[in-house]
Amino acid sequence: MTEYRLGSSEMVHTPGLIAWAINGYHFADDRPVLLNSMCQSFPTVPNTAIEQLLSKAVPYTVEDKTVVFSVDE
């Protein structure tokens, strides 16, 4: 199992960004754009891991301003 930690910056609050993307991922027409946007924002995380996060296939937690989740790869 691989753990990913998506940190925030002064410009982007990652927990809010991920919550927004998960909400939008519910709509099939929006999925490709949201997945691409998140993959571009977090290029070190594999696309399959981001897809699992956005589809709610895996849970995540928020530690301070960091989103933490794990996936089987």
Side-chain angles (χ1 to χ4, degrees):
M1 189 162 277
T2 304
E3 180 182 86
Y4 295 99
R5 303 178 70 78
L6 309 179
S8 295
S9 69
E10 290 185 22
M11 303 248 340
V12 176
H13 182 257
T14 300
L17 178 65
I18 296 300
W20 168 81
I22 288 172
N23 184 56
Y25 207 74
H26 174 76
F27 303 100
D29 289 346
D30 296 336
R31 289 179 189 156
V33 173
L34 287 168
L35 181 59
N36 184 54
S37 295
M38 293 299 105
C39 290
Q40 294 296 318
S41 297
F42 304 101
T44 60
V45 180
N47 294 11
T48 56
I50 292 176
E51 184 174 26
Q52 289 181 57
L53 175 63
L54 297 183
S55 67
K56 299 201 282 187
V58 296
Y60 74 94
T61 59
V62 177
E63 295 176 8
D64 194 23
K65 295 178 182 179
T66 301
V67 170
V68 181
F69 70 103
S70 297
V71 298
D72 288 325
E73 293 189 63

Short mmCIF file of all heavy atoms in Angstrom, two decimals:
data_model
loop_
_atom_site.label_atom_id
_atom_site.label_comp_id
_atom_site.label_asym_id
_atom_site.label_seq_id
_atom_site.Cartn_x
_atom_site.Cartn_y
_atom_site.Cartn_z
N MET A 1 0.85 -1.17 0.00
CA MET A 1 0.00 0.00 0.00
C MET A 1 0.89 1.24 0.00
O MET A 1 1.85 1.31 0.75
CB MET A 1 -0.92 -0.03 1.22
CG MET A 1 -1.97 1.05 1.17
SD MET A 1 -3.35 0.77 2.27
CE MET A 1 -4.32 -0.31 1.27
N THR A 2 0.59 2.17 -0.87
CA THR A 2 1.37 3.40 -0.98
C THR A 2 0.57 4.56 -0.40
O THR A 2 -0.59 4.74 -0.74
CB THR A 2 1.71 3.69 -2.45
OG1 THR A 2 2.40 2.57 -3.01
CG2 THR A 2 2.57 4.93 -2.59
N GLU A 3 1.23 5.33 0.45
CA GLU A 3 0.58 6.51 1.04
C GLU A 3 1.00 7.76 0.27
O GLU A 3 2.18 7.93 -0.06
CB GLU A 3 0.97 6.66 2.50
CG GLU A 3 0.33 7.88 3.17
CD GLU A 3 0.75 8.05 4.60
OE1 GLU A 3 1.81 8.68 4.84
OE2 GLU A 3 0.04 7.54 5.48
N TYR A 4 0.03 8.61 0.01
CA TYR A 4 0.29 9.90 -0.64
C TYR A 4 -0.12 11.01 0.28
O TYR A 4 -1.13 10.92 0.98
CB TYR A 4 -0.49 9.99 -1.97
CG TYR A 4 -0.01 9.00 -2.98
CD1 TYR A 4 -0.68 7.81 -3.19
CD2 TYR A 4 1.16 9.22 -3.71
CE1 TYR A 4 -0.23 6.87 -4.11
CE2 TYR A 4 1.62 8.29 -4.62
CZ TYR A 4 0.92 7.12 -4.81
OH TYR A 4 1.38 6.20 -5.71
N ARG A 5 0.66 12.07 0.27
CA ARG A 5 0.40 13.26 1.08
C ARG A 5 0.40 14.46 0.15
O ARG A 5 1.43 14.80 -0.40
CB ARG A 5 1.46 13.39 2.18
CG ARG A 5 1.53 12.15 3.07
CD ARG A 5 2.62 12.26 4.12
NE ARG A 5 2.30 13.24 5.14
CZ ARG A 5 1.47 13.05 6.16
NH1 ARG A 5 0.86 11.90 6.30
NH2 ARG A 5 1.24 14.00 7.03
N LEU A 6 -0.76 15.07 -0.02
CA LEU A 6 -0.90 16.21 -0.92
C LEU A 6 -0.96 17.48 -0.07
O LEU A 6 -1.97 17.76 0.57
CB LEU A 6 -2.18 16.07 -1.77
CG LEU A 6 -2.36 14.73 -2.49
CD1 LEU A 6 -3.67 14.73 -3.26
CD2 LEU A 6 -1.18 14.45 -3.40
N GLY A 7 0.13 18.22 -0.09
CA GLY A 7 0.24 19.41 0.75
C GLY A 7 -0.37 20.64 0.12
O GLY A 7 -0.57 20.73 -1.09
N SER A 8 -0.67 21.59 0.97
CA SER A 8 -1.20 22.89 0.53
C SER A 8 -0.06 23.87 0.33
O SER A 8 1.07 23.63 0.74
CB SER A 8 -2.16 23.44 1.59
OG SER A 8 -3.29 22.63 1.72
N SER A 9 -0.38 24.97 -0.31
CA SER A 9 0.57 26.07 -0.46
C SER A 9 -0.13 27.34 -0.03
O SER A 9 -1.30 27.31 0.36
CB SER A 9 1.03 26.18 -1.92
OG SER A 9 -0.04 26.61 -2.73
N GLU A 10 0.55 28.45 -0.13
CA GLU A 10 -0.08 29.72 0.22
C GLU A 10 -1.20 30.06 -0.76
O GLU A 10 -2.14 30.76 -0.42
CB GLU A 10 0.97 30.84 0.24
CG GLU A 10 1.93 30.72 1.40
CD GLU A 10 2.87 31.89 1.48
OE1 GLU A 10 2.57 32.97 0.94
OE2 GLU A 10 3.94 31.73 2.11
N MET A 11 -1.12 29.54 -1.97
CA MET A 11 -2.11 29.85 -3.00
C MET A 11 -3.26 28.84 -3.06
O MET A 11 -4.33 29.16 -3.53
CB MET A 11 -1.44 29.91 -4.38
CG MET A 11 -0.33 30.91 -4.42
SD MET A 11 -0.53 32.37 -5.40
CE MET A 11 -1.74 32.09 -6.55
N VAL A 12 -3.02 27.60 -2.63
CA VAL A 12 -4.02 26.54 -2.78
C VAL A 12 -4.19 25.78 -1.47
O VAL A 12 -3.22 25.29 -0.90
CB VAL A 12 -3.60 25.54 -3.89
CG1 VAL A 12 -4.59 24.39 -3.99
CG2 VAL A 12 -3.47 26.25 -5.22
N HIS A 13 -5.43 25.69 -1.01
CA HIS A 13 -5.78 24.89 0.16
C HIS A 13 -6.22 23.52 -0.37
O HIS A 13 -7.33 23.36 -0.86
CB HIS A 13 -6.90 25.57 0.96
CG HIS A 13 -7.27 24.84 2.20
ND1 HIS A 13 -8.41 24.08 2.28
CD2 HIS A 13 -6.64 24.76 3.39
CE1 HIS A 13 -8.48 23.56 3.48
NE2 HIS A 13 -7.43 23.95 4.18
N THR A 14 -5.32 22.55 -0.30
CA THR A 14 -5.54 21.25 -0.93
C THR A 14 -6.79 20.53 -0.42
O THR A 14 -7.53 19.97 -1.23
CB THR A 14 -4.29 20.37 -0.79
OG1 THR A 14 -3.21 21.05 -1.45
CG2 THR A 14 -4.48 19.02 -1.44
N PRO A 15 -7.10 20.52 0.88
CA PRO A 15 -8.33 19.84 1.29
C PRO A 15 -9.59 20.42 0.61
O PRO A 15 -10.47 19.66 0.20
CB PRO A 15 -8.38 20.06 2.81
CG PRO A 15 -6.93 20.18 3.19
CD PRO A 15 -6.30 20.92 2.04
N GLY A 16 -9.64 21.71 0.43
CA GLY A 16 -10.77 22.32 -0.27
C GLY A 16 -10.78 21.97 -1.74
O GLY A 16 -11.84 21.70 -2.32
N LEU A 17 -9.61 21.95 -2.36
CA LEU A 17 -9.50 21.60 -3.78
C LEU A 17 -9.94 20.16 -4.01
O LEU A 17 -10.70 19.87 -4.94
CB LEU A 17 -8.06 21.79 -4.25
CG LEU A 17 -7.76 21.42 -5.70
CD1 LEU A 17 -8.50 22.35 -6.65
CD2 LEU A 17 -6.25 21.49 -5.95
N ILE A 18 -9.51 19.25 -3.16
CA ILE A 18 -9.88 17.84 -3.31
C ILE A 18 -11.38 17.66 -3.06
O ILE A 18 -12.04 16.93 -3.81
CB ILE A 18 -9.04 16.94 -2.37
CG1 ILE A 18 -7.56 17.00 -2.77
CG2 ILE A 18 -9.56 15.51 -2.36
CD1 ILE A 18 -7.24 16.54 -4.18
N ALA A 19 -11.93 18.31 -2.06
CA ALA A 19 -13.38 18.22 -1.80
C ALA A 19 -14.17 18.72 -3.01
O ALA A 19 -15.16 18.12 -3.42
CB ALA A 19 -13.74 19.00 -0.55
N TRP A 20 -13.73 19.81 -3.60
CA TRP A 20 -14.39 20.36 -4.80
C TRP A 20 -14.31 19.36 -5.96
O TRP A 20 -15.29 19.12 -6.65
CB TRP A 20 -13.71 21.68 -5.17
CG TRP A 20 -14.09 22.19 -6.51
CD1 TRP A 20 -15.21 22.89 -6.85
CD2 TRP A 20 -13.34 22.05 -7.73
NE1 TRP A 20 -15.21 23.19 -8.19
CE2 TRP A 20 -14.07 22.68 -8.76
CE3 TRP A 20 -12.12 21.45 -8.05
CZ2 TRP A 20 -13.62 22.73 -10.08
CZ3 TRP A 20 -11.68 21.49 -9.35
CH2 TRP A 20 -12.43 22.13 -10.34
N ALA A 21 -13.13 18.76 -6.17
CA ALA A 21 -12.95 17.83 -7.27
C ALA A 21 -13.78 16.56 -7.06
O ALA A 21 -14.37 16.04 -8.01
CB ALA A 21 -11.47 17.49 -7.43
N ILE A 22 -13.84 16.06 -5.84
CA ILE A 22 -14.66 14.89 -5.55
C ILE A 22 -16.12 15.18 -5.83
O ILE A 22 -16.84 14.36 -6.42
CB ILE A 22 -14.44 14.41 -4.10
CG1 ILE A 22 -13.06 13.77 -3.97
CG2 ILE A 22 -15.54 13.44 -3.67
CD1 ILE A 22 -12.66 13.45 -2.54
N ASN A 23 -16.58 16.33 -5.43
CA ASN A 23 -17.97 16.72 -5.68
C ASN A 23 -18.26 16.76 -7.18
O ASN A 23 -19.27 16.24 -7.65
CB ASN A 23 -18.27 18.08 -5.05
CG ASN A 23 -19.70 18.48 -5.21
OD1 ASN A 23 -20.60 17.74 -4.81
ND2 ASN A 23 -19.94 19.64 -5.78
N GLY A 24 -17.38 17.35 -7.96
CA GLY A 24 -17.57 17.45 -9.40
C GLY A 24 -17.41 16.12 -10.10
O GLY A 24 -18.00 15.89 -11.16
N TYR A 25 -16.62 15.22 -9.53
CA TYR A 25 -16.37 13.92 -10.15
C TYR A 25 -17.63 13.05 -10.19
O TYR A 25 -17.70 12.08 -10.92
CB TYR A 25 -15.25 13.20 -9.39
CG TYR A 25 -14.46 12.23 -10.22
CD1 TYR A 25 -13.54 12.67 -11.15
CD2 TYR A 25 -14.62 10.85 -10.07
CE1 TYR A 25 -12.81 11.79 -11.93
CE2 TYR A 25 -13.90 9.96 -10.84
CZ TYR A 25 -12.99 10.44 -11.76
OH TYR A 25 -12.27 9.56 -12.53
N HIS A 26 -18.61 13.44 -9.44
CA HIS A 26 -19.90 12.73 -9.44
C HIS A 26 -20.55 12.81 -10.83
O HIS A 26 -21.28 11.90 -11.23
CB HIS A 26 -20.82 13.36 -8.39
CG HIS A 26 -22.20 12.81 -8.39
ND1 HIS A 26 -22.51 11.58 -7.87
CD2 HIS A 26 -23.36 13.31 -8.86
CE1 HIS A 26 -23.80 11.36 -8.02
NE2 HIS A 26 -24.34 12.39 -8.62
N PHE A 27 -20.28 13.86 -11.58
CA PHE A 27 -20.87 14.07 -12.90
C PHE A 27 -19.95 13.50 -13.98
O PHE A 27 -18.84 13.98 -14.18
CB PHE A 27 -21.13 15.56 -13.13
CG PHE A 27 -22.01 16.16 -12.07
CD1 PHE A 27 -21.46 16.88 -11.02
CD2 PHE A 27 -23.38 15.97 -12.11
CE1 PHE A 27 -22.27 17.41 -10.03
CE2 PHE A 27 -24.20 16.51 -11.12
CZ PHE A 27 -23.64 17.23 -10.09
N ALA A 28 -20.44 12.50 -14.69
CA ALA A 28 -19.62 11.77 -15.66
C ALA A 28 -18.99 12.68 -16.71
O ALA A 28 -17.84 12.47 -17.11
CB ALA A 28 -20.45 10.68 -16.35
N ASP A 29 -19.72 13.69 -17.16
CA ASP A 29 -19.18 14.59 -18.20
C ASP A 29 -17.99 15.40 -17.70
O ASP A 29 -17.14 15.81 -18.50
CB ASP A 29 -20.27 15.55 -18.68
CG ASP A 29 -21.34 14.87 -19.51
OD1 ASP A 29 -21.12 13.72 -19.94
OD2 ASP A 29 -22.40 15.49 -19.72
N ASP A 30 -17.91 15.62 -16.39
CA ASP A 30 -16.83 16.44 -15.82
C ASP A 30 -15.60 15.64 -15.43
O ASP A 30 -14.54 16.22 -15.17
CB ASP A 30 -17.34 17.20 -14.59
CG ASP A 30 -18.43 18.20 -14.94
OD1 ASP A 30 -18.48 18.65 -16.10
OD2 ASP A 30 -19.23 18.54 -14.05
N ARG A 31 -15.73 14.34 -15.38
CA ARG A 31 -14.62 13.49 -14.88
C ARG A 31 -13.31 13.66 -15.64
O ARG A 31 -12.27 13.82 -15.00
CB ARG A 31 -15.04 12.03 -14.86
CG ARG A 31 -16.05 11.76 -13.78
CD ARG A 31 -16.49 10.32 -13.77
NE ARG A 31 -17.61 10.20 -12.84
CZ ARG A 31 -18.51 9.26 -12.90
NH1 ARG A 31 -18.44 8.33 -13.84
NH2 ARG A 31 -19.49 9.24 -12.03
N PRO A 32 -13.30 13.62 -16.96
CA PRO A 32 -12.01 13.74 -17.66
C PRO A 32 -11.27 15.05 -17.35
O PRO A 32 -10.05 15.04 -17.14
CB PRO A 32 -12.38 13.65 -19.14
CG PRO A 32 -13.69 12.95 -19.17
CD PRO A 32 -14.39 13.36 -17.91
N VAL A 33 -12.00 16.14 -17.31
CA VAL A 33 -11.37 17.44 -17.04
C VAL A 33 -10.85 17.50 -15.60
O VAL A 33 -9.73 17.96 -15.35
CB VAL A 33 -12.35 18.60 -17.33
CG1 VAL A 33 -11.76 19.92 -16.89
CG2 VAL A 33 -12.69 18.63 -18.80
N LEU A 34 -11.65 17.02 -14.66
CA LEU A 34 -11.22 17.05 -13.26
C LEU A 34 -10.02 16.13 -13.03
O LEU A 34 -9.08 16.51 -12.33
CB LEU A 34 -12.38 16.66 -12.34
CG LEU A 34 -13.46 17.72 -12.21
CD1 LEU A 34 -14.69 17.13 -11.53
CD2 LEU A 34 -12.95 18.92 -11.44
N LEU A 35 -10.07 14.95 -13.61
CA LEU A 35 -8.94 14.02 -13.45
C LEU A 35 -7.68 14.62 -14.04
O LEU A 35 -6.61 14.59 -13.40
CB LEU A 35 -9.27 12.68 -14.11
CG LEU A 35 -8.19 11.61 -13.99
CD1 LEU A 35 -7.88 11.28 -12.54
CD2 LEU A 35 -8.61 10.36 -14.74
N ASN A 36 -7.78 15.19 -15.22
CA ASN A 36 -6.61 15.83 -15.84
C ASN A 36 -6.09 16.98 -15.00
O ASN A 36 -4.87 17.12 -14.80
CB ASN A 36 -6.95 16.31 -17.25
CG ASN A 36 -5.74 16.87 -17.95
OD1 ASN A 36 -4.71 16.21 -18.05
ND2 ASN A 36 -5.86 18.09 -18.43
N SER A 37 -6.98 17.80 -14.48
CA SER A 37 -6.56 18.94 -13.66
C SER A 37 -5.82 18.49 -12.40
O SER A 37 -4.79 19.06 -12.04
CB SER A 37 -7.77 19.78 -13.25
OG SER A 37 -8.36 20.35 -14.37
N MET A 38 -6.35 17.47 -11.75
CA MET A 38 -5.70 16.99 -10.53
C MET A 38 -4.37 16.30 -10.84
O MET A 38 -3.41 16.44 -10.10
CB MET A 38 -6.63 16.03 -9.78
CG MET A 38 -7.88 16.68 -9.21
SD MET A 38 -7.54 17.98 -8.01
CE MET A 38 -7.89 19.42 -9.00
N CYS A 39 -4.31 15.57 -11.97
CA CYS A 39 -3.05 14.93 -12.36
C CYS A 39 -1.99 15.98 -12.69
O CYS A 39 -0.81 15.78 -12.40
CB CYS A 39 -3.28 13.99 -13.53
SG CYS A 39 -4.22 12.52 -13.11
N GLN A 40 -2.39 17.08 -13.30
CA GLN A 40 -1.45 18.16 -13.60
C GLN A 40 -1.01 18.88 -12.31
O GLN A 40 0.13 19.32 -12.19
CB GLN A 40 -2.09 19.17 -14.56
CG GLN A 40 -2.39 18.63 -15.93
CD GLN A 40 -1.13 18.24 -16.68
OE1 GLN A 40 -0.13 18.94 -16.64
NE2 GLN A 40 -1.18 17.12 -17.36
N SER A 41 -1.93 18.99 -11.35
CA SER A 41 -1.63 19.67 -10.08
C SER A 41 -0.69 18.84 -9.20
O SER A 41 0.09 19.40 -8.45
CB SER A 41 -2.92 19.95 -9.31
OG SER A 41 -3.74 20.82 -10.05
N PHE A 42 -0.82 17.51 -9.29
CA PHE A 42 -0.01 16.61 -8.46
C PHE A 42 0.67 15.58 -9.37
O PHE A 42 0.31 14.40 -9.38
CB PHE A 42 -0.90 15.93 -7.42
CG PHE A 42 -1.64 16.90 -6.55
CD1 PHE A 42 -2.99 17.17 -6.79
CD2 PHE A 42 -1.01 17.58 -5.52
CE1 PHE A 42 -3.68 18.08 -6.01
CE2 PHE A 42 -1.69 18.49 -4.74
CZ PHE A 42 -3.04 18.75 -4.98
N PRO A 43 1.68 16.01 -10.14
CA PRO A 43 2.28 15.14 -11.16
C PRO A 43 3.04 13.94 -10.61
O PRO A 43 3.30 12.99 -11.35
CB PRO A 43 3.20 16.08 -11.93
CG PRO A 43 3.50 17.19 -10.98
CD PRO A 43 2.28 17.34 -10.13
N THR A 44 3.40 13.94 -9.34
CA THR A 44 4.13 12.81 -8.78
C THR A 44 3.20 11.68 -8.34
O THR A 44 3.67 10.59 -8.00
CB THR A 44 4.99 13.23 -7.58
OG1 THR A 44 4.14 13.78 -6.57
CG2 THR A 44 6.03 14.26 -8.00
N VAL A 45 1.90 11.93 -8.36
CA VAL A 45 0.91 10.91 -7.96
C VAL A 45 0.38 10.25 -9.23
O VAL A 45 -0.05 10.94 -10.16
CB VAL A 45 -0.24 11.55 -7.16
CG1 VAL A 45 -1.25 10.50 -6.74
CG2 VAL A 45 0.30 12.30 -5.94
N PRO A 46 0.39 8.92 -9.30
CA PRO A 46 -0.12 8.24 -10.49
C PRO A 46 -1.59 8.56 -10.76
O PRO A 46 -2.38 8.75 -9.82
CB PRO A 46 0.05 6.75 -10.16
CG PRO A 46 1.06 6.70 -9.07
CD PRO A 46 0.91 7.98 -8.31
N ASN A 47 -1.94 8.59 -12.03
CA ASN A 47 -3.32 8.88 -12.43
C ASN A 47 -4.30 7.92 -11.76
O ASN A 47 -5.40 8.34 -11.36
CB ASN A 47 -3.47 8.79 -13.94
CG ASN A 47 -2.69 9.84 -14.68
OD1 ASN A 47 -1.87 10.55 -14.10
ND2 ASN A 47 -2.94 9.96 -15.96
N THR A 48 -3.93 6.66 -11.66
CA THR A 48 -4.83 5.67 -11.07
C THR A 48 -5.10 5.97 -9.59
O THR A 48 -6.21 5.75 -9.11
CB THR A 48 -4.27 4.25 -11.20
OG1 THR A 48 -2.96 4.19 -10.62
CG2 THR A 48 -4.20 3.82 -12.67
N ALA A 49 -4.12 6.48 -8.88
CA ALA A 49 -4.32 6.84 -7.47
C ALA A 49 -5.25 8.04 -7.35
O ALA A 49 -6.14 8.06 -6.48
CB ALA A 49 -2.98 7.14 -6.81
N ILE A 50 -5.08 9.02 -8.20
CA ILE A 50 -5.95 10.19 -8.17
C ILE A 50 -7.37 9.81 -8.54
O ILE A 50 -8.34 10.27 -7.92
CB ILE A 50 -5.40 11.32 -9.06
CG1 ILE A 50 -4.10 11.85 -8.44
CG2 ILE A 50 -6.43 12.44 -9.23
CD1 ILE A 50 -3.39 12.90 -9.24
N GLU A 51 -7.51 8.93 -9.51
CA GLU A 51 -8.84 8.47 -9.91
C GLU A 51 -9.54 7.76 -8.74
O GLU A 51 -10.74 7.97 -8.50
CB GLU A 51 -8.75 7.54 -11.10
CG GLU A 51 -10.10 7.11 -11.63
CD GLU A 51 -9.99 6.31 -12.90
OE1 GLU A 51 -8.95 5.67 -13.13
OE2 GLU A 51 -10.96 6.32 -13.67
N GLN A 52 -8.81 6.95 -7.99
CA GLN A 52 -9.38 6.29 -6.82
C GLN A 52 -9.81 7.29 -5.76
O GLN A 52 -10.85 7.13 -5.13
CB GLN A 52 -8.39 5.29 -6.24
CG GLN A 52 -8.18 4.07 -7.11
CD GLN A 52 -7.21 3.11 -6.49
OE1 GLN A 52 -7.41 2.66 -5.36
NE2 GLN A 52 -6.14 2.79 -7.22
N LEU A 53 -9.01 8.33 -5.58
CA LEU A 53 -9.34 9.36 -4.60
C LEU A 53 -10.60 10.11 -5.02
O LEU A 53 -11.53 10.27 -4.22
CB LEU A 53 -8.16 10.34 -4.46
CG LEU A 53 -8.38 11.55 -3.57
CD1 LEU A 53 -8.64 11.13 -2.12
CD2 LEU A 53 -7.20 12.50 -3.67
N LEU A 54 -10.66 10.56 -6.26
CA LEU A 54 -11.79 11.36 -6.72
C LEU A 54 -13.08 10.55 -6.79
O LEU A 54 -14.16 11.10 -6.58
CB LEU A 54 -11.48 11.98 -8.08
CG LEU A 54 -10.33 12.97 -8.14
CD1 LEU A 54 -10.18 13.55 -9.54
CD2 LEU A 54 -10.48 14.07 -7.10
N SER A 55 -12.98 9.27 -7.07
CA SER A 55 -14.18 8.43 -7.16
C SER A 55 -14.62 7.91 -5.79
O SER A 55 -15.59 7.17 -5.69
CB SER A 55 -13.93 7.25 -8.10
OG SER A 55 -12.96 6.37 -7.55
N LYS A 56 -13.89 8.25 -4.77
CA LYS A 56 -14.14 7.82 -3.39
C LYS A 56 -13.98 6.32 -3.20
O LYS A 56 -14.58 5.74 -2.32
CB LYS A 56 -15.52 8.29 -2.91
CG LYS A 56 -15.66 9.80 -2.90
CD LYS A 56 -16.76 10.31 -2.00
CE LYS A 56 -18.12 10.18 -2.56
NZ LYS A 56 -19.17 10.83 -1.76
N ALA A 57 -13.14 5.71 -4.04
CA ALA A 57 -12.83 4.29 -3.88
C ALA A 57 -11.93 4.07 -2.67
O ALA A 57 -11.90 2.98 -2.11
CB ALA A 57 -12.16 3.75 -5.14
N VAL A 58 -11.19 5.11 -2.29
CA VAL A 58 -10.34 5.06 -1.10
C VAL A 58 -10.69 6.27 -0.22
O VAL A 58 -11.01 7.34 -0.73
CB VAL A 58 -8.83 5.08 -1.45
CG1 VAL A 58 -8.45 3.83 -2.23
CG2 VAL A 58 -8.44 6.32 -2.21
N PRO A 59 -10.62 6.10 1.10
CA PRO A 59 -10.87 7.24 1.98
C PRO A 59 -9.64 8.12 2.08
O PRO A 59 -8.52 7.71 1.73
CB PRO A 59 -11.17 6.58 3.32
CG PRO A 59 -10.38 5.31 3.28
CD PRO A 59 -10.40 4.86 1.83
N TYR A 60 -9.86 9.33 2.55
CA TYR A 60 -8.73 10.22 2.82
C TYR A 60 -8.95 10.92 4.14
O TYR A 60 -10.08 10.99 4.65
CB TYR A 60 -8.52 11.22 1.68
CG TYR A 60 -9.53 12.34 1.59
CD1 TYR A 60 -9.30 13.58 2.20
CD2 TYR A 60 -10.72 12.18 0.88
CE1 TYR A 60 -10.22 14.61 2.11
CE2 TYR A 60 -11.64 13.21 0.77
CZ TYR A 60 -11.38 14.42 1.40
OH TYR A 60 -12.29 15.45 1.31
N THR A 61 -7.87 11.41 4.71
CA THR A 61 -7.94 12.20 5.93
C THR A 61 -7.25 13.53 5.67
O THR A 61 -6.49 13.66 4.69
CB THR A 61 -7.27 11.49 7.12
OG1 THR A 61 -5.89 11.24 6.80
CG2 THR A 61 -7.97 10.18 7.46
N VAL A 62 -7.51 14.47 6.53
CA VAL A 62 -6.85 15.77 6.44
C VAL A 62 -6.02 15.96 7.71
O VAL A 62 -6.55 15.88 8.82
CB VAL A 62 -7.87 16.92 6.29
CG1 VAL A 62 -7.17 18.26 6.28
CG2 VAL A 62 -8.69 16.73 5.03
N GLU A 63 -4.74 16.17 7.53
CA GLU A 63 -3.82 16.45 8.63
C GLU A 63 -3.32 17.86 8.43
O GLU A 63 -2.54 18.11 7.50
CB GLU A 63 -2.68 15.45 8.65
CG GLU A 63 -3.11 14.03 8.92
CD GLU A 63 -1.96 13.03 8.84
OE1 GLU A 63 -0.78 13.46 8.73
OE2 GLU A 63 -2.24 11.83 8.88
N ASP A 64 -3.78 18.77 9.27
CA ASP A 64 -3.49 20.18 9.14
C ASP A 64 -4.00 20.66 7.78
O ASP A 64 -5.19 20.73 7.58
CB ASP A 64 -1.99 20.46 9.34
CG ASP A 64 -1.70 21.94 9.55
OD1 ASP A 64 -2.61 22.69 9.98
OD2 ASP A 64 -0.55 22.36 9.28
N LYS A 65 -3.16 20.93 6.83
CA LYS A 65 -3.58 21.37 5.49
C LYS A 65 -3.15 20.38 4.42
O LYS A 65 -2.99 20.72 3.26
CB LYS A 65 -3.00 22.76 5.19
CG LYS A 65 -3.52 23.85 6.10
CD LYS A 65 -2.87 25.17 5.77
CE LYS A 65 -3.36 26.25 6.71
NZ LYS A 65 -2.75 27.54 6.44
N THR A 66 -2.98 19.11 4.83
CA THR A 66 -2.48 18.08 3.93
C THR A 66 -3.52 16.97 3.79
O THR A 66 -4.08 16.50 4.78
CB THR A 66 -1.17 17.48 4.47
OG1 THR A 66 -0.20 18.54 4.58
CG2 THR A 66 -0.62 16.39 3.59
N VAL A 67 -3.78 16.55 2.57
CA VAL A 67 -4.66 15.43 2.29
C VAL A 67 -3.81 14.17 2.26
O VAL A 67 -2.79 14.11 1.57
CB VAL A 67 -5.40 15.62 0.94
CG1 VAL A 67 -6.13 14.35 0.53
CG2 VAL A 67 -6.34 16.80 1.01
N VAL A 68 -4.22 13.15 3.02
CA VAL A 68 -3.48 11.90 3.12
C VAL A 68 -4.39 10.76 2.71
O VAL A 68 -5.51 10.64 3.18
CB VAL A 68 -2.98 11.66 4.57
CG1 VAL A 68 -2.19 10.38 4.67
CG2 VAL A 68 -2.17 12.85 5.06
N PHE A 69 -3.90 9.93 1.77
CA PHE A 69 -4.66 8.75 1.36
C PHE A 69 -3.70 7.65 0.92
O PHE A 69 -2.55 7.92 0.60
CB PHE A 69 -5.67 9.08 0.26
CG PHE A 69 -5.08 9.41 -1.07
CD1 PHE A 69 -5.08 8.49 -2.11
CD2 PHE A 69 -4.51 10.67 -1.32
CE1 PHE A 69 -4.54 8.79 -3.34
CE2 PHE A 69 -3.99 11.00 -2.56
CZ PHE A 69 -3.99 10.04 -3.58
N SER A 70 -4.18 6.42 0.93
CA SER A 70 -3.36 5.27 0.54
C SER A 70 -4.10 4.46 -0.51
O SER A 70 -5.33 4.35 -0.47
CB SER A 70 -3.06 4.39 1.75
OG SER A 70 -2.31 5.10 2.70
N VAL A 71 -3.34 3.89 -1.43
CA VAL A 71 -3.90 3.02 -2.46
C VAL A 71 -3.02 1.78 -2.62
O VAL A 71 -1.83 1.82 -2.35
CB VAL A 71 -4.03 3.75 -3.83
CG1 VAL A 71 -4.98 4.90 -3.75
CG2 VAL A 71 -2.69 4.19 -4.34
N ASP A 72 -3.65 0.69 -3.06
CA ASP A 72 -2.90 -0.50 -3.44
C ASP A 72 -2.43 -0.31 -4.86
O ASP A 72 -3.20 0.09 -5.72
CB ASP A 72 -3.79 -1.75 -3.37
CG ASP A 72 -4.11 -2.14 -1.95
OD1 ASP A 72 -3.24 -1.97 -1.07
OD2 ASP A 72 -5.22 -2.65 -1.71
N GLU A 73 -1.17 -0.58 -5.11
CA GLU A 73 -0.65 -0.44 -6.49
C GLU A 73 0.01 -1.70 -6.93
O GLU A 73 0.51 -2.45 -6.24
CB GLU A 73 0.33 0.73 -6.55
CG GLU A 73 -0.38 2.03 -6.32
CD GLU A 73 0.50 3.23 -6.60
OE1 GLU A 73 0.91 3.40 -7.74
OE2 GLU A 73 0.77 3.97 -5.66
#
